[in-house]
């Protein structure tokens, strides 16, 4: 993987996220990724679950996670029983670039600071997607491995 950070995402989770994001292409939509972070014998972050947040306030260019959305993710059964944690977030950029916007970078830097935490951006109109992380203070693209 050429030293790049990597994320492994269950194919069923990918399908759930893509379908959720495609339900409304007039605005950004998003949610949280649940799994295990890279490290301690795990070579890459593993995503086993997604928590869509259909009520998160959003516009065509913004998405906000309030306390209600965070609570939804923290009460996911795998998080509650300690077998997994919030390992990242996902959101849509309908008909836009899948690069990190200034707001996306702010969210990643302030709420997903671990270098193995994932930001997944998907364009449900064009089908493009990218996975990002924060490493050594820099936002960089991650490689995705399906399982």
């Amino acid at each position: 993987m050429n030293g790049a950070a990597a994320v492994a995402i269950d194919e069923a989770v990918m399908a759930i996220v893509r379908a959720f994001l495609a339900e409304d292409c007039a605005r950004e939509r998003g949610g949280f990724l649940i799994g295990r972070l890279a490290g301690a014998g795990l070579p890459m972050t593993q995503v086993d679950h997604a928590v869509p947040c259909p009520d998160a306030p959003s516009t065509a260019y913004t998405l906000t996670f309030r306390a209600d959305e965070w609570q939804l993710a923290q009460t996911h059964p795998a998080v509650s029983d300690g077998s997994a944690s919030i390992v990242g977030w996902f959101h849509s950029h309908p008909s836009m670039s899948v690069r990190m916007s200034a707001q996306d970078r702010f969210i990643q830097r302030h709420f997903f600071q671990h270098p193995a935490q994932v930001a997944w951006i998907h364009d449900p109109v064009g089908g493009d997607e990218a996975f990002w992380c924060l490493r050594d203070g820099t936002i960089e693209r991650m490689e995705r491995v399906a399982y």
Side-chain angles (χ1 to χ4, degrees):
M1 282 183 225
N2 305 333
V7 57
I9 303 181
D10 181 280
E11 289 287 351
V13 172
M14 295 195 72
I16 289 166
V17 168
R18 288 174 180 148
F20 170 73
L21 297 178
E23 287 175 7
D24 184 351
C25 293
R27 64 185 183 103
E28 289 193 10
R29 301 188 88 198
F32 296 94
L33 301 170
I34 307 295
R36 294 180 293 146
L37 291 174
L42 191 64
M44 65 187 70
T45 296
Q46 183 174 316
V47 177
D48 303 310
H49 309 280
V51 179
C53 297
D55 298 324
S58 67
T59 69
Y61 305 105
T62 64
L63 172 70
T64 302
F65 290 129
R66 304 164 301 178
D68 290 348
E69 284 77 39
W70 284 97
Q71 183 66 27
L72 186 63
Q74 295 195 356
T75 57
H76 184 280
V79 174
S80 295
D81 73 15
S83 64
S85 63
I86 299 170
V87 298
W89 62 300
F90 65 87
H91 71 290
S92 60
H93 278 187
S95 297
M96 295 186 294
S97 165
V98 293
R99 291 195 315 250
M100 297 278 278
S101 69
Q103 181 184 11
D104 298 339
R105 289 190 299 273
F106 177 88
I107 290 170
Q108 192 71 19
R109 288 183 194 284
H110 290 88
F111 300 103
F112 299 95
Q113 299 168 350
H114 190 286
Q117 286 184 305
V118 180
W120 174 12
I121 302 174
H122 177 72
D123 173 1
V125 177
D128 293 336
E129 59 191 3
F131 301 84
W132 304 90
C133 66
L134 178 64
R135 281 180 50 171
D136 300 322
T138 302
I139 301 288
E140 68 177 49
R141 199 159 182 163
M142 300 176 84
E143 293 187 44
R144 181 187 62 84
V145 178
Y147 76 95

